[in-house]
Amino acid sequence: LSICGKLCYAIGGAPNQVAGSAAAFFLQIYLLDIAHITPFHASLVLFIGKASGALTDPVAGYFISKSRWTKIGRLMPWMLACTPFTVVSYFFMWYLPPFVSGRVAWYLTFYCLFQALTTLFQVPYSALTMFLSTDQKERDSATAYRMTMEVLGTLIGAALQGQIVASAHVSHHCTVNPPVNTTDSRHDTPSFPDPSDPFSHQAKVYMIAAGVIGGVYLLGIVILFLGVKEKDDPYALNSDRAIPFCKGIGLTMKHGPYVKLTASFLLISTAVQLEQSNFVLFCTHAAGLRNHFQYLVVTILVSAAMSIPFWQKFLQRFGKKCAACGISWMIPFAVMLVTIPNLILAYFVAFVSGLSIAASLLLPWSMLPDVVDNFRLQNPHGKGHETIFYSSYVFFTKMSAGIGLGISAAGLEFTGYKPGICRQSKDVILTLKILIGVVPAILILLGLCILLFYPITEESRKETKLALEVLR
């Protein structure tokens, strides 16, 4: 693979991360403080939206596995076809409708559409890794390029969104650290009125950000189409038949390495999603860092982007299972931030969290091709199983993340979160601390414990590589 080809492949996946990052960090606070829907309804939007994306995964995998080869490949037509609709649904997801009563249905509709359409892109895009090269090192290298660009995309999305919409969350009558026992009623009034006008300042800045990110989507798919050439299955014989989708699902669910890898990283990805979705709320309401949240988000993502090459070198030298230990680095520092909400400590925690997030992003996508190779060795006369593995993996991680986000938003509703006020109750602040510190720590530790039983080692990976070369 040429460096140019790897870069074009990597850039193609960045727009999904740009949009996903903006939604992960800002959608919950947008729904609560700008759209002024209740935390319970916000939890429904977040959970049902994620669930719809998750349910689309096996459907997408089924139809993609049935697709015939075209002049531009079997996977590329899917990515090209869904991108324009993804851009439109993303824009309307951040549009504030002039009516109030139907806002929940509006956001639920377009968030579900966006999640389903990104799935139609993500499944063929992630499976494309297997059709770039037959060499494991080349695929690992392409994955490292992809993860670097996706983390940069996450950085760009959070930075663009954060800088453009920061003014929507600044209120001149909110002090940075309001006194606890104040009797000043202004601290209990909304920091801005309910903006029913879709062209109010708060609504307008979110639409501007959505338009900019929509342009990034179109640029990314053009670069992917022009710079990447999809290859047909290099191992399949002309006589080999595609594995039926339902049978393939059953086989993947019985494949030990895949089950352990998926179980581990669905817990870890849920922890990262909880950190992302509640971080801005935590900084705004629980840590007294209202004026710094966009810079802290950028610090996390710059750290993650810079550390991807380090993690790639680390896993090449010490192995992929050993590199997974880096995911746990964020735990003690996140607990420190919750207990000692200090500005300098917050930036240090942001930096360390970026290192851990980079490891959690790189490792599953680097290990999944090894699992697919292992399955190929055990089932040498079938083809088309790659999309089944990738679609079902994305399904499980999205479903678990949706459940986690729904529960977190419902927790805020239960403890009495009030949209737009300067100072939340002690119960809300305690809930945010638990969602940022305690819950992610437990999920990460459980995920790493499961990963200890993951059976594919560096030695077995090399043996699989040699056996597949003989097969080919």
Side-chain angles (χ1 to χ4, degrees), residues 184-443:
D184 191 347
S185 62
R186 65 184 180 177
H187 294 301
D188 295 321
T189 59
S191 55
F192 41 80
D194 184 358
S196 297
D197 179 11
F199 297 102
S200 65
H201 172 69
Q202 288 85 10
K204 193 183 295 183
V205 293
Y206 270 96
M207 283 192 290
I208 291 170
V212 171
I213 291 175
V216 173
Y217 247 112
L218 297 176
L219 178 63
I221 191 64
V222 169
I223 293 173
L224 177 68
F225 175 68
L226 295 177
V228 175
K229 184 178 180 181
E230 180 184 343
K231 300 175 183 177
D232 204 356
D233 190 339
Y235 297 110
L237 301 172
N238 291 332
S239 59
D240 288 346
R241 294 184 177 182
I243 297 175
F245 187 80
C246 292
K247 180 182 178 182
I249 288 286
L251 290 173
T252 58
M253 293 302 101
K254 295 175 184 177
H255 192 60
Y258 177 74
V259 172
K260 293 179 177 67
L261 180 71
T262 303
S264 173
F265 278 99
L266 71 84
L267 293 171
I268 292 169
S269 64
T270 302
V272 173
Q273 283 277 345
L274 284 173
E275 290 274 354
Q276 286 182 324
S277 63
N278 291 289
F279 187 76
V280 176
L281 283 169
F282 173 79
C283 291
T284 303
H285 298 299
L289 302 172
R290 180 186 294 270
N291 297 327
H292 295 272
F293 69 81
Q294 66 267 38
Y295 306 113
L296 289 166
V297 168
V298 169
T299 302
I300 291 173
L301 299 173
V302 167
S303 169
M306 292 174 61
S307 61
I308 288 283
F310 162 76
W311 285 118
Q312 177 65 13
K313 294 290 185 184
F314 188 94
L315 64 87
Q316 285 177 348
R317 182 164 184 179
F318 298 103
K320 297 178 182 180
K321 285 179 69 173
C322 186
C325 298
I327 300 171
S328 64
W329 290 358
M330 72 165 74
I331 295 174
F333 296 102
V335 173
M336 287 172 63
L337 178 62
V338 166
T339 53
I340 315 169
N342 176 273
L343 179 60
I344 296 174
L345 179 62
Y347 277 99
F348 186 67
V349 170
F351 174 77
V352 176
S353 296
L355 299 177
S356 296
I357 288 171
S360 71
L361 290 173
L362 175 63
L363 282 170
W365 296 113
S366 181
M367 296 166 85
L368 196 54
D370 301 336
V371 173
V372 176
D373 280 346
N374 183 272
F375 181 85
R376 158 68 77 180
L377 197 60
Q378 297 179 19
N379 301 271
H381 294 293
K383 62 180 180 179
H385 58 277
E386 294 85 0
T387 52
I388 299 173
F389 272 96
Y390 281 87
S391 62
S392 55
Y393 174 79
V394 178
F395 166 78
F396 287 119
T397 52
K398 278 188 179 178
M399 185 61 78
S400 64
I403 293 171
L405 293 177
I407 291 173
S408 73
L412 294 175
E413 166 81 12
F414 179 76
T415 52
Y417 181 92
K418 295 180 180 179
I421 68 171
C422 297
R423 186 163 50 91
Q424 298 290 340
S425 67
K426 291 181 180 179
D427 289 339
V428 171
I429 292 172
L430 177 62
T431 301
L432 288 170
K433 289 181 177 181
I434 291 172
L435 292 172
I436 283 290
V438 179
V439 178
I442 293 172
L443 292 175

Side-chain angles (χ1 to χ4, degrees), residues 52-68 74-75 78 116 118-127 131 242-249 252 258 383-395 398:
S52 69
L55 293 173
T56 310
D57 284 301
V59 176
Y62 174 79
F63 284 107
I64 292 169
S65 66
K66 296 286 185 183
S67 300
R68 294 185 177 182
R74 186 163 59 92
L75 304 174
W78 288 89
T118 53
T119 293
L120 289 177
F121 180 94
Q122 189 66 26
V123 170
Y125 174 75
S126 54
F131 300 97
I243 297 175
F245 187 80
C246 292
K247 180 182 178 182
I249 288 286
T252 58
Y258 177 74
K383 62 180 180 179
H385 58 277
E386 294 85 0
T387 52
I388 299 173
F389 272 96
Y390 281 87
S391 62
S392 55
Y393 174 79
V394 178
F395 166 78
K398 278 188 179 178

